């Protein structure tokens, strides 16, 4: 059965990006020519998803406005002879349906997913974190590969992974594979949220994309607050594994490298790479950067 539903959690306040995120959702920060969340939506659309539920919060109305059809703007561009810019708004017409619900209390990622339960009903679904772009300039098809594995293995969950340096394991969900006979697709023996290096079972970090059966909701309901006193999605996944459910990992390709727009370091990193890859301005940016570096 083709998977058509995706949940995009965007409720987090983005405290590591204050003051930028005081009134602007971190998912709306520009990376190159587009806001972060547009790359996420385009990736899902390419992967065959059709109905997208954003789990939002009080400061996130800009996201809703962004994906709305802006008839007035379209009209204005036509009347003022700026038809060439209409192409930039083509995403408004994509064959996608948008839905929004609020996570009314900041109780963690697991709780945000639980807010989607009545929307999802009885179908498998994708989760894509709204603050993470995969690949420059975002050609990732990891979600499609994950859905293929989900169906092939009759899995209960499939999760994207990327290897990170030891110094970064404390930022992510980290998994222990049963074996790495096939390093691209592996069954999970254990997963732990943001471990310190000594406790980390590997350097395989959750890379912001998941496919679930709706059975995840039962586990989420039973999940107690964990790391940082939040209801962690990772803990619900660990409970599935402990119950003998089939949970698999799929590794992202090098060209699907994750840009986590959750802190200034990775935000600057993403902006630079996307600016350099810009078809019209990339060369100019490169020359400017080279001349700035040579000055030093
Ligand atoms: C969340 C998840 C974590 C995952 C990370 C990036 O953490 O809890 O397991 O590795 O996203 O995909 P957050 O970045 O929201 O703190």
């Amino acid at each position: 059965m083709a998977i058509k539903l995706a949940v995009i959690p965007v409720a987090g306040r983005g405290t590591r990006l204050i003051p930028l995120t005081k009134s602007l959702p971190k998912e709306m920060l520009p990376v190159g020519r587009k806001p972060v969340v547009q790359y996420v939506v385009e990736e899902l659309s390419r992967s065959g998803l059709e109905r997208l539920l954003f789990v939002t919060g009080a400061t996130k109305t800009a996201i809703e406005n962004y994906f709305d059809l802006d008839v007035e703007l379209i009209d204005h561009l036509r009347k003022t002879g700026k038809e060439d810019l209409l192409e930039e708004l083509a995403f408004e017409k994509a064959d996608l349906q948008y839905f929004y619900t609020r996570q009314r209390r900041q109780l963690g990622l697991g709780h945000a997913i639980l807010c989607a339960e009545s929307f999802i009903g009885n179908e498998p679904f994708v989760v894509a974190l709204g603050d993470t772009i995969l690949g420059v300039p975002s050609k990732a098809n990891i979600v499609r590969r994950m859905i293929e594995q989900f169906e092939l293995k009759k899995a209960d969950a499939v999760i994207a992974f990327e290897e990170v340096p030891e110094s970064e394991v404390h930022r992510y969900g980290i998994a222990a594979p049963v074996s790495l006979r096939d390093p691209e697709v592996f069954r999970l023996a254990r997963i732990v949220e943001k471990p310190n290096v000594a406790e980390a079972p590997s350097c395989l970090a959750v890379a912001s994309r998941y496919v679930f059966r709706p059975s995840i909701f039962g586990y989420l309901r039973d999940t107690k607050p964990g790391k940082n006193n939040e209801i962690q999605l990772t803990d619900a996944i660990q409970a599935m594994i402990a119950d003998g459910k089939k949970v698999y990992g799929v590794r992202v390709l090098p060209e699907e490298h994750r840009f986590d727009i959750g802190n200034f370091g990775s935000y600057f990193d993403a902006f630079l790479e996307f600016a350099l890859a810009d078809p019209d301005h990339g060369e100019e940016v490169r020359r400017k950067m080279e001349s700035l570096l040579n000055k030093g």
Side-chain angles (χ1 to χ4, degrees):
M1 183 178 64
I3 299 183
K4 299 291 172 200
L5 301 179
V7 177
I8 310 179
V10 293
R13 280 304 305 264
T15 44
R16 281 168 292 172
L17 289 163
I18 284 175
L20 274 185
T21 48
K22 193 165 163 265
S23 60
L24 189 67
K26 63 177 165 175
E27 297 80 9
M28 288 302 294
L29 293 179
V31 173
R33 293 181 183 221
K34 301 178 198 171
V36 177
V37 70
Q38 189 176 345
Y39 294 103
V40 178
V41 166
E42 287 173 351
E43 181 198 331
L44 294 175
S45 174
R46 272 201 313 278
S47 304
L49 281 301
E50 289 176 0
R51 307 177 74 206
L52 311 183
L53 174 71
F54 289 85
V55 181
T56 75
T59 57
K60 306 283 179 156
T61 48
I63 298 175
E64 217 166 309
N65 294 337
Y66 190 79
F67 289 105
D68 205 2
L69 191 65
D70 194 338
V71 184
E72 256 177 49
L73 177 59
I74 293 173
D75 216 38
H76 173 75
L77 293 176
R78 283 221 176 91
K79 281 191 185 135
T80 50
K82 292 177 185 152
E83 274 92 354
D84 51 324
L85 292 177
L86 289 174
E87 208 181 301
E88 303 299 331
L89 295 176
F91 73 92
E92 286 183 354
K93 298 211 176 116
D95 214 1
L96 294 169
Q97 274 185 290
Y98 300 99
F99 301 84
Y100 300 88
T101 191
R102 287 262 182 116
Q103 183 187 22
R104 298 163 78 192
R105 286 184 296 160
Q106 297 276 303
L107 299 180
L109 178 60
H111 176 259
I113 303 304
L114 206 43
C115 295
E117 185 173 10
S118 63
F119 174 81
I120 295 297
N122 220 6
E123 287 184 44
F125 63 103
V126 166
V127 170
L129 305 192
D131 66 353
T132 305
I133 305 171
L134 298 179
V136 191
S138 193
K139 293 257 160 54
N141 77 350
I142 177 75
V143 170
R144 195 176 279 279
R145 301 202 305 283
M146 289 163 74
I147 292 174
E148 276 164 21
Q149 291 301 326
F150 183 81
E151 284 163 0
L152 194 72
K153 303 249 193 302
K154 300 200 176 353
D156 295 289
V158 176
I159 302 163
F161 283 94
E162 182 172 40
E163 196 110 18
V164 295
E166 270 195 355
S167 57
E168 289 181 19
V169 292
H170 67 280
R171 291 195 197 155
Y172 300 108
I174 302 289
V178 169
S179 103
L180 272 180
R181 235 173 321 151
D182 176 0
E184 304 313 317
V185 183
F186 44 88
R187 189 156 174 182
L188 265 58
R190 193 158 74 85
I191 188 164
V192 46
E193 181 67 5
K194 303 192 173 87
N196 59 41
V197 185
E199 292 165 341
S202 77
C203 285
L204 282 170
V206 174
S208 313
R209 304 291 183 261
Y210 311 77
V211 185
F212 291 115
R213 276 188 204 288
S215 55
I216 184 70
F217 292 118
Y219 291 95
L220 282 169
R221 261 184 265 118
D222 290 343
T223 299
K224 303 273 172 298
K227 196 87 191 183
N228 302 329
N229 207 25
E230 293 178 351
I231 297 173
Q232 295 290 352
L233 180 56
T234 301
D235 292 346
I237 298 167
Q238 172 54 32
M240 288 178 95
I241 297 172
D243 240 5
K245 298 282 184 200
K246 292 198 273 181
V247 181
Y248 287 87
V250 175
R251 209 186 276 254
V252 301
L253 299 171
E255 60 269 31
E256 293 167 334
H257 169 64
R258 174 233 328 261
F259 294 97
D260 214 340
I261 317 299
N263 60 72
F264 282 109
S266 60
Y267 175 50
F268 292 161
D269 184 18
F271 197 97
L272 284 177
E273 281 219 41
F274 276 72
L276 278 171
D278 189 274
D280 296 336
H281 298 281
E283 259 322 297
E284 192 186 318
V285 174
R286 184 177 311 277
R287 279 198 300 275
K288 178 72 185 167
M289 278 165 71
E290 277 167 0
S291 94
L292 284 172
L293 289 171
N294 288 337
K295 255 196 222 165

